[in-house]
Amino acid sequence: MMSKFSEIINQEKPVLVDFFATWCGPCKTLAPILKQVKDNLGDNVSIIKIDVDKNQNLASKYQVRGVPTMILFKNGKQVWRQSGVLQKNEIINIIKTSV
């Protein structure tokens, strides 16, 4: 998983990683928002979801202590991160300004 993850985040285009847990209420709120972001931005962004309970190594590597935590990567570098739920337009603006 770790090497595949590195491959994914080392893309030219921004990759938004949603660290979530199945038992987390706010994570369920965020899921449809991220779908709208993807629908809006299309191929300009990759959005992947990482279940922290199944990927504890990855969560600890990126020091994810609360869910949901979103981390935006560009060329393998972390360019933004935030915990909690954001609105669609906020997330879109963050992705657009990072490109």
Side-chain angles (χ1 to χ4, degrees):
M1 178 70 193
M2 204 69 99
S3 62
K4 185 155 172 40
F5 185 78
S6 299
E7 264 174 57
I8 293 168
I9 62 170
N10 272 297
Q11 294 181 59
E12 281 286 309
K13 70 177 169 184
V15 179
L16 183 66
V17 182
D18 170 26
F19 286 92
F20 78 102
T22 50
W23 45 262
C24 153
C27 299
K28 292 182 176 76
T29 306
L30 185 60
I33 295 172
L34 290 179
K35 186 181 179 328
Q36 291 170 355
V37 169
K38 179 65 179 164
D39 290 346
N40 189 293
L41 293 175
D43 289 338
N44 295 321
V45 66
S46 291
I47 299 177
I48 61 169
K49 296 171 76 65
I50 301 287
D51 184 332
V52 293
D53 292 323
K54 292 183 183 149
N55 300 282
Q56 292 175 345
N57 292 352
L58 221 44
S60 70
K61 180 179 178 187
Y62 291 100
Q63 297 169 346
V64 174
R65 298 204 169 79
V67 283
T69 293
M70 289 179 282
I71 303 180
L72 186 65
F73 292 94
K74 180 101 167 59
N75 295 317
K77 294 189 180 65
Q78 181 178 309
V79 292
W80 173 86
R81 76 179 281 158
Q82 186 158 333
S83 295
V85 176
L86 293 181
Q87 294 313 304
K88 178 185 84 170
N89 291 343
E90 292 177 287
I91 299 170
I92 288 171
N93 287 338
I94 287 157
I95 293 168
K96 282 185 171 168
T97 54
S98 80
V99 175

